[in-house]
Amino acid sequence: MADTLKIAVIGGDGTGPEVTREACKVLNAVAPLENFKYETTEFDYGGDRYLKTGEVITAKQIDEFRQFDVIYLGAVGHPEVPPGILEKGLLLEIRFQLDQYINLRPVKLYPGVDCPLKGKGPEDIRFEVVRENTEDLYCGAGGFLRKNTPQEVATQEMISTRFGVERCLRWAFELCRRRKDRNQLTLVHKTNVLTYAGDLWFRAFEEIGEADYPDIKRDYNHIDAACMWFIKNPEYYDTMVVSNMFGDIITDLGAMIQGGLGVAAGGNINPDPGGCSMFEPMGGSAPKYTGQEVINPIAAIAAMGMLLNLVGDQKKAPNVVAAAHRIEAAICKTTPKMKSMSAGRMGYTTSEVGDLVSEAL
Ligand code: IPM
Ligand code: MG
């Protein structure tokens, strides 16, 4: 890759900046090894800025991200800001405005990580969840009637469009094919009750799969059953595709079976040409741990690896993809040295874990 990779960095709130610093440390260490150039530009969006200015982020400010190849986000959430303001105003706003319609969340048990499921190891927990990221209950459609009266009515609508569902399904089929695992894509919904939205998903899944992905085995789980199988037989899964709200829920369950939020990473991806994606550790800002150097940065470092993998692929830069693989391999060498994946019990400080991964590159 001849040009410089341009990364917008939002450290965010609480422990967000601490884990972001470790992810950037690893980026800084891997770039010379794979011979690529990058520059980071920091943005201070988040709770503190909101409390000072009364503004979260404007449409114009989000638009400015389009000049970057990709965004890296630490965490948002501030104890003095009422719930919803930063989550909807910053995180969801960026996802929606930049049309990051895929939320990719690998569920991978790293070596040496304690799994809460008895008898399961890294060979059993190694699947990927593709969560639709712009529709469903997250559209914000609905409202109140007779608010604050005993006759109050609230509606919140689950919206699925054929367009939105289809682009997500196609991306998931492609991922499943690229993984070359067991060529099995599991759709998760609730077609026995949600007979409109679920039906649209299921029909699109069958039609697209039959027409364009005959090599991929199509599998279907109801959401409640999927929660059960995650615990009982996680080895069953290869690639999963799921609507936004159900995806939000099962990926937290996924994070737990891979050792907790300290290791779970994800990407909000706009796969279209010129699309700007955003990568983040799945954990929140953990305000009570701020500044204590006890938070596990593995998730944040893994998110940086995912970022390089996607951008390297988009820019046809095999060295950047190789850097992503190096980070993944270095994480696998680091986790067995750590006592635990939980905050305060790692046996190392946040910054020491960043050093260990950097040295293992
Ligand atoms: C996540 C989070 C967000 C979501 C919240 C913070 C809006 O839970 O990334 O999974 O619901 O998508
Ligand atoms: Mg969530």
Side-chain angles (χ1 to χ4, degrees):
M1 194 175 68
D3 49 347
T4 301
L5 189 61
K6 291 175 73 181
I7 309 176
V9 176
I10 310 168
D13 302 318
T15 55
E18 293 167 40
V19 293
T20 299
R21 192 188 60 221
E22 299 313 308
C24 290
K25 181 195 279 178
V26 172
L27 172 67
N28 188 48
V30 83
L33 299 176
E34 290 295 346
N35 216 3
F36 69 89
K37 289 201 189 66
Y38 72 91
E39 69 188 30
T40 52
T41 307
E42 291 192 26
F43 293 88
D44 66 351
Y45 301 118
D48 287 332
R49 179 180 169 127
Y50 170 75
L51 291 171
K52 249 184 274 153
T53 66
E55 208 172 68
V56 182
I57 191 167
T58 64
K60 190 164 163 283
Q61 286 163 334
I62 294 182
D63 226 34
E64 285 166 8
F65 288 136
R66 294 181 204 272
Q67 296 158 27
F68 294 86
D69 293 304
V70 67
I71 305 166
Y72 184 90
L73 171 71
V76 290
H78 194 293
E80 284 153 52
V81 179
I85 292 186
L86 297 169
E87 293 87 342
K88 285 179 79 174
L90 188 63
L91 190 60
L92 298 185
E93 206 52 42
I94 295 175
R95 287 178 184 172
F96 277 67
Q97 208 178 304
L98 297 179
D99 203 19
Q100 296 164 340
Y101 58 90
I102 300 294
N103 193 328
L104 177 63
R105 297 187 159 173
V107 179
K108 177 173 177 176
L109 183 64
Y110 287 112
V113 173
D114 254 350
C115 176
L117 307 181
K118 192 173 150 199
K120 304 292 178 191
E123 64 289 347
D124 300 310
I125 299 176
R126 41 166 181 75
F127 59 93
E128 297 197 54
V129 181
V130 177
R131 166 184 174 194
E132 200 288 323
N133 214 25
T134 55
E135 300 195 337
D136 200 25
L137 284 165
Y138 280 72
C139 288
F144 293 110
L145 189 64
R146 302 190 291 260
K147 192 174 175 184
N148 289 321
T149 72
Q151 294 79 31
E152 177 165 350
V153 179
T155 63
Q156 195 93 51
E157 291 161 21
M158 179 178 260
I159 294 177
S160 297
T161 69
R162 174 73 195 210
F163 165 77
V165 168
E166 182 155 346
R167 64 182 180 173
C168 177
L169 286 171
R170 285 191 183 280
W171 198 86
F173 273 115
E174 294 288 339
L175 172 71
C176 185
R177 199 179 256 170
R178 274 203 309 278
R179 274 171 62 83
K180 290 196 183 68
D181 185 352
R182 276 152 305 136
N183 293 326
Q184 171 183 275
L185 180 62
T186 304
L187 169 68
V188 175
H189 211 288
K190 184 76 182 173
T191 55
N192 52 348
V193 176
L194 305 178
T195 49
Y196 310 125
D199 191 61
L200 189 158
W201 272 91
F202 192 77
R203 270 182 291 118
F205 183 59
E206 289 297 304
E207 284 166 26
I208 294 164
E210 192 177 318
D212 297 329
Y213 302 93
D215 52 317
I216 305 295
K217 180 169 171 261
R218 295 190 297 281
D219 176 48
Y220 171 81
N221 282 179
H222 292 319
I223 176 68
D224 47 348
C227 291
M228 188 176 77
W229 293 118
F230 262 40
I231 305 300
K232 194 167 182 296
N233 291 106
E235 68 279 4
Y236 173 77
Y237 295 113
D238 166 351
T239 311
M240 306 181 79
V241 61
V242 57
S243 55
N244 206 346
M245 186 80 252
F246 293 151
D248 177 47
I249 298 166
I250 57 168
T251 52
D252 266 24
L253 187 54
M256 280 304 126
I257 66 171
Q258 70 176 123
L261 288 168
V263 274
N268 304 277
I269 300 174
N270 177 339
D272 298 342
C276 184
S277 302
M278 174 168 70
F279 290 80
E280 48 171 338
M282 262 179 66
S285 57
K288 68 174 179 188
Y289 292 123
T290 307
Q292 294 179 26
E293 281 280 317
V294 293
I295 285 285
N296 188 350
I298 291 288
I301 296 168
M304 186 60 84
M306 289 180 73
L307 176 154
L308 294 177
N309 198 28
L310 180 100
V311 177
D313 200 52
Q314 272 180 342
K315 294 189 153 258
K316 306 210 170 8
N319 55 332
V320 177
V321 174
H325 292 161
R326 263 188 205 263
I327 292 179
E328 193 65 12
I331 291 174
C332 290
K333 282 191 213 154
T334 304
T335 48
K337 297 180 190 156
M338 297 166 64
K339 279 207 199 111
S340 157
M341 294 300 123
S342 309
R345 280 180 278 158
M346 302 185 289
Y348 296 99
T349 64
T350 303
S351 157
E352 282 167 350
V353 174
D355 291 339
L356 285 174
V357 177
S358 304
E359 285 154 21
L361 287 168

